[in-house]
């Protein structure tokens, strides 16, 4: 492992994911709701959709993105788990 480089990369990844989730859930669902409500989406206003469902979908996408990206980081820094199911 390279002098804490793995943990810095991991914390950057977590901070990035949390920032995206914050912007989508708080920003799109609360701060920018009036602006987004001008855009219809399937019969609903976009701001309402983000507040009710959009942030949940983005959170689920972030979970899968984090799992994929941390797997790549693990391999890059040589800390991946070994499969002991032999």
């Amino acid at each position: 492992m390279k002098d804490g480089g793995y943990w810095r990369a991991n914390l950057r990844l977590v901070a990035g994911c949390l920032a995206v989730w914050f912007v989508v859930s708080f920003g799109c669902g609360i701060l920018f709701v009036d602006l987004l409500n001008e855009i219809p989406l399937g019969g609903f206003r976009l701001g309402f959709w983000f507040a009710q469902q959009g942030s949940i979908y983005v959170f689920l996408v972030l979970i899968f993105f984090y799992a994929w990206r941390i797997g790549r980081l693990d391999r890059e820094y040589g800390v991946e788990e070994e499969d002991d199911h032999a």
Side-chain angles (χ1 to χ4, degrees):
M1 200 176 307
K2 300 176 185 172
D3 297 335
Y6 173 78
W7 289 111
R8 278 192 295 278
N10 190 358
L11 290 176
R12 256 192 329 270
L13 176 61
V14 170
C17 288
L18 287 174
V20 169
W21 188 35
F22 176 79
V23 167
V24 170
S25 63
F26 189 75
C28 295
I30 297 173
L31 295 178
F32 309 121
V33 71
D34 293 330
L35 179 64
L36 291 172
N37 277 339
E38 301 296 321
I39 304 169
L41 177 71
F44 297 99
R45 297 174 296 181
L46 187 59
F48 172 79
W49 184 83
F50 266 110
Q52 298 301 314
Q53 295 178 359
S55 60
I56 296 169
Y57 291 142
V58 170
F59 181 67
L60 290 174
V61 168
L62 284 173
I63 290 171
F64 287 105
F65 171 76
Y66 177 81
W68 169 75
R69 188 66 182 104
I70 200 68
R72 289 186 61 196
L73 276 177
D74 286 351
R75 284 189 298 280
E76 181 180 329
Y77 284 93
V79 294
E80 71 270 15
E81 294 182 14
E82 295 181 20
D83 188 13
D84 293 336
H85 301 292

